Amino acid sequence: MLKTKALRKILVATASLFIIMTIYLIPTTEKTINTNFEFEYITNLANSSIYLLDSNKHLVKTKILLDNDDLILDIKSVINNLTLNSNSKFSDKLQALIPLNTKLNEVRVEEDTVYLDFSKEFLTVKEELSSKLIESIVYSLTELDDINKVYISVNGTPLDSYPNTDKKLTLPLSRDIGINKEYCLTSLNDITKVVIYYNENIDNDLFYVPVTKYINDDKEKIDIIVEELTTSYIYEDNLQSILNENLVLTDKEIVDGVFILDFNDYLFDGDSKLKEEVLYTLSYSVFANYDINVINFKVNGESVSNVKRSDLL
């Protein structure tokens, strides 16, 4: 009797362990936009993004891990990742732009502005990369919470122009300077500036590339975004959009800080699923152009996803 009970307990324990291991090892095939956010919460680590130069001279949004509890240390980590060195952990096709041997003499934060003072090596950047260098620093640092402006000096002298050029800068700098700028103008009147995130495949990984477009178009920016991302023509061969060309924005409204966007069925892929990449492409583009905190995505009037600005990497 005791032997039978013992065997029964062993069998139950073995079966339970087998079930637990099976559940644990089964891969999940469906991605959701919250997966990475839950991981960050559990591990108590934070992700941010920096902008590195690709082989086509575009600044590409690239994720980094920040494990500091101090904003100044996070800023130093960002600058370190943006500085050329022999220990880069990024793809060979992505390049940091702050020149080799550049030192960060001083960093401080006052309200929403970070003040950076670099050594003289900062000015050795090539002229053709000068604007990309400034855009990379400004866009990377303003990814951090509470940083909206960047003030740059070199050995105590304010940087009043792009290095090695006559193009003037007005300090402090914000994202108003644009990134990967493209001018599609037929007139100097009624100019609209809109930031659109495209996709680029680098070493079989999907990256996001913001492009600031200056165009003569009086349509709502969200309509321009959807139109640009669903067109069959992309202005650069290496850039792409994964949005279906039949996607249509049927309705839009902002209610209590929430941007409600209603699309037709083509927001889904062929398996009636909402791809994370589609949400990221649209969300990055919307948040770059609108001062809102939440996007509510709908399909034919039914809510399918909410994306918060604070959760989007």
Side-chain angles (χ1 to χ4, degrees):
M1 186 70 166
L2 290 174
K3 185 176 180 180
T4 302
K5 288 184 178 179
L7 287 173
R8 185 179 300 145
K9 288 181 179 180
I10 292 172
L11 288 172
V12 170
T14 302
S16 299
L17 180 60
F18 176 78
I19 293 171
I20 292 172
M21 291 298 295
T22 301
I23 294 173
Y24 180 79
L25 292 174
I26 291 175
T28 55
T29 57
E30 183 176 351
K31 294 183 178 179
T32 66
I33 200 164
N34 288 321
T35 301
N36 290 335
F37 308 148
E38 293 172 359
F39 177 79
E40 291 164 29
Y41 175 80
I42 293 172
T43 59
N44 198 31
L45 297 177
N47 282 317
S48 189
S49 295
I50 61 172
Y51 294 79
L52 300 176
L53 195 71
D54 68 8
S55 57
N56 298 289
K57 305 304 180 186
H58 289 120
L59 290 171
V60 176
K61 188 180 181 75
T62 309
K63 294 179 183 178
I64 61 170
L65 184 65
L66 299 175
D67 55 2
N68 306 301
D69 293 326
D70 181 87
L71 179 57
I72 296 296
L73 293 178
D74 282 342
I75 292 169
K76 289 180 178 180
S77 293
V78 169
I79 295 300
N80 182 61
N81 280 287
L82 294 178
T83 302
L84 281 169
N85 59 66
S86 59
N87 298 317
S88 176
K89 53 181 172 287
F90 303 105
S91 165
D92 292 339
K93 296 179 182 178
L94 294 176
Q95 175 189 346
L97 287 172
I98 298 177
L100 190 69
N101 298 322
T102 300
K103 302 293 189 296
L104 183 59
N105 296 328
E106 183 184 4
V107 54
R108 73 179 192 277
V109 175
E110 295 181 7
E111 297 181 349
D112 66 342
T113 304
V114 56
Y115 291 80
L116 306 172
D117 186 64
F118 291 101
S119 64
K120 63 181 180 180
E121 287 80 9
F122 185 84
L123 300 177
T124 62
V125 63
K126 294 179 180 179
E127 179 181 348
E128 62 268 24
L129 297 178
S130 182
S131 62
K132 297 293 184 182
L133 166 64
I134 301 303
E135 292 171 14
S136 172
I137 293 173
V138 171
Y139 268 71
S140 297
L141 288 174
T142 52
E143 289 278 348
L144 298 173
D145 290 341
D146 303 322
I147 298 297
N148 295 316
K149 299 175 185 177
V150 180
Y151 190 103
I152 301 175
S153 61
V154 177
N155 284 339
T157 301
L159 191 69
D160 59 1
S161 63
Y162 287 89
N164 301 315
T165 74
D166 295 327
K167 187 178 179 182
K168 297 298 181 182
L169 284 173
T170 302
L171 298 173
L173 304 168
S174 70
R175 291 196 172 202
D176 287 341
I177 64 172
I179 186 171
N180 296 321
K181 294 184 280 288
E182 179 196 4
Y183 297 89
C184 305
L185 299 173
T186 57
S187 169
L188 294 178
N189 299 319
D190 301 321
I191 298 175
T192 296
K193 181 179 74 172
V194 59
V195 181
I196 300 174
Y197 277 78
Y198 294 95
N199 308 113
E200 181 177 4
N201 189 294
I202 301 176
D203 293 337
N204 295 319
D205 285 326
L206 189 68
F207 289 83
Y208 298 90
V209 182
V211 176
T212 302
K213 292 194 172 189
Y214 298 86
I215 57 179
N216 299 115
D217 198 327
D218 59 359
K219 292 196 294 290
E220 279 280 338
K221 288 187 178 183
I222 182 58
D223 294 318
I224 297 173
I225 291 168
V226 174
E227 180 179 312
E228 290 286 335
L229 289 174
T230 54
T231 183
S232 59
Y233 169 75
I234 302 295
Y235 84 105
E236 292 280 358
D237 291 339
N238 62 297
L239 299 183
Q240 60 181 331
S241 171
I242 59 174
L243 269 64
N244 191 298
E245 63 181 9
N246 296 309
L247 180 68
V248 176
L249 178 63
T250 58
D251 196 13
K252 57 185 180 291
E253 63 174 333
I254 297 178
V255 179
D256 296 329
V258 178
F259 205 169
I260 304 172
L261 302 176
D262 199 352
F263 293 92
N264 63 0
D265 290 329
Y266 288 96
L267 187 66
F268 296 129
D269 63 15
D271 296 324
S272 297
K273 295 179 180 179
L274 185 54
K275 286 186 176 180
E276 178 180 283
E277 293 85 354
V278 170
L279 284 182
Y280 270 79
T281 299
L282 284 168
S283 298
Y284 281 141
S285 300
V286 170
F287 285 131
N289 293 279
Y290 290 89
D291 186 19
I292 47 95
N293 295 315
V294 181
I295 306 171
N296 175 225
F297 288 94
K298 290 185 175 183
V299 172
N300 296 329
E302 294 188 11
S303 181
V304 294
S305 182
N306 286 320
V307 179
K308 296 179 181 179
R309 180 190 291 269
S310 59
D311 287 341
L312 196 63
L313 299 176

